[in-house]
Amino acid sequence: MPGTILITGSNRGIGLEMTRQFADDGWQVLACCRDVPGAHELRALREKYAHVRLFQLDVTRYDQMTALSKALWDQPIDILVNNAGYYGPKGVAFGQVDVDEWRKVLESNTIAPYKMAETFARNVADSERRVMAVLSSKVGSIADNTSGGGYIYRTSKTAVNQVVKSLSIDLREQGVSVMALHPGWVKTQMGGPNALISVEESVAGLKKLLLGADLEHSGRFYNYDGSEIPW
Ligand SMILES: NC(=O)c1ccc[n+]([C@@H]2O[C@H](COP(=O)([O-])OP(=O)(O)OC[C@H]3O[C@@H](n4cnc5c(N)ncnc54)[C@H](OP(=O)(O)O)[C@@H]3O)[C@@H](O)[C@H]2O)c1
């Protein structure tokens, strides 16, 4: 077996396609999602590939995270992918921001990836590849912000980029590489039908980055095509 990858939010969109592509390459995939019984496409993958294992995980439920870490206590994790994400209300302009939604988005997009890192750092450090990644977004780049707005989602991704940077410094001694990844504008429920690329294309690019990652790439922000994005 080439290795073990843990993916959050693996029941649809980018997470589901990542599960499919890594499973197809023979990886053990620890596929996590909120509603395992309702995850029909993911369960179909489980039927096809014996090395796909399903786990219940709402990334904002730390009791579930702790239970999962106990279930995976002796399991080295080569690649940990914080993919689960929530956009929050769309088209919200200055003056219309719902702060309760903002807190919810920060909880899933910023705090949860940090908690995942804290919970599973030992498993990743015990593996061969020792890679962590967060699905961030180009809209979290301050340098790239020329259009304003998007207060809720933008700040959640900007903040998680800072989490990635600090993790890359704090976990370097253990040989763990930590990257922020932009998947492109992808045709998923979040990206919508007008998005520019398919999940297959996005994940093929992300997979290359994940498989090529080492400490030289740690603490950096990459587009799915391998180019670097300014913070
Ligand atoms: N699509 C794009 O164009 C794009 C661009 C830039 C960045 N991204 C980022 O890429 C990642 C994946 O996006 P996507 O396009 O695949 O989105 P998506 O189709 O909306 O899927 C989001 C996934 O996250 C899961 N999720 C949300 N909140 C969760 C929670 N609290 N606990 C566990 N799982 C949760 C969802 O599970 P449920 O089915 O249970 O809701 C679903 O599996 C996200 O982090 C997103 O911000 C996407």
Side-chain angles (χ1 to χ4, degrees):
M1 192 167 296
T4 296
I5 182 169
L6 185 151
I7 304 168
T8 63
S10 62
N11 57 306
R12 60 185 167 95
I14 293 166
L16 179 67
E17 179 60 19
M18 195 172 279
T19 300
R20 180 179 291 121
Q21 290 195 22
F22 274 91
D24 209 37
D25 286 353
W27 281 64
Q28 170 171 237
V29 185
L30 311 175
C32 304
C33 67
R34 285 199 270 212
D35 174 19
V36 173
H40 301 294
E41 287 179 89
L42 184 59
R43 283 155 55 97
L45 282 185
R46 170 71 187 86
E47 291 305 309
K48 189 170 172 197
Y49 302 102
H51 46 280
V52 172
R53 297 168 65 194
L54 308 192
F55 297 96
Q56 194 199 349
L57 180 64
D58 178 328
V59 295
T60 64
R61 290 275 309 271
Y62 306 133
D63 57 329
Q64 292 183 5
M65 218 180 265
T66 303
L68 181 60
S69 82
K70 284 184 183 151
L72 298 175
W73 191 252
D74 293 329
Q75 174 65 61
I77 298 172
D78 291 274
I79 305 178
L80 174 74
V81 181
N82 285 288
N83 164 75
Y86 173 51
Y87 192 88
K90 291 199 172 176
V92 174
F94 175 68
Q96 303 172 342
V97 171
D98 176 339
V99 295
D100 288 330
E101 278 296 315
W102 200 341
R103 288 192 189 94
K104 229 169 103 185
V105 172
L106 289 172
E107 188 76 45
S108 49
N109 295 2
T110 308
I111 301 173
Y114 170 76
K115 286 293 285 183
M116 285 293 292
E118 203 181 64
T119 306
F120 294 103
R122 190 185 49 81
N123 305 72
V124 176
D126 283 349
S127 75
E128 294 218 341
R129 289 182 184 264
R130 292 181 273 189
V131 175
M132 286 188 193
V134 176
L135 269 286
S136 179
S137 173
K138 207 173 168 181
V139 302
S141 164
I142 292 177
D144 193 63
N145 185 354
T146 53
S147 56
Y151 293 93
I152 296 181
Y153 185 70
R154 271 194 200 280
T155 57
S156 74
K157 295 300 190 181
T158 309
V160 83
N161 284 351
Q162 190 66 276
V163 169
V164 165
K165 190 71 187 187
S166 280
L167 288 173
S168 75
I169 295 164
D170 293 343
L171 301 180
R172 178 168 281 263
E173 232 173 64
Q174 296 172 56
V176 176
S177 312
V178 192
M179 302 184 297
L181 302 176
H182 172 61
W185 185 18
V186 193
K187 289 188 178 84
T188 61
Q189 203 163 306
M190 189 185 291
N194 298 326
L196 296 176
I197 61 170
S198 65
V199 277
E200 290 81 0
E201 185 180 355
S202 171
V203 171
L206 295 171
K207 183 150 75 89
K208 223 167 147 184
L209 282 160
L210 292 169
L211 294 177
D214 60 24
L215 287 174
E216 194 199 316
H217 304 97
S218 193
R220 294 163 81 166
F221 186 14
Y222 291 101
N223 192 13
Y224 77 102
D225 65 5
S227 59
E228 206 163 349
I229 299 174
W231 296 114

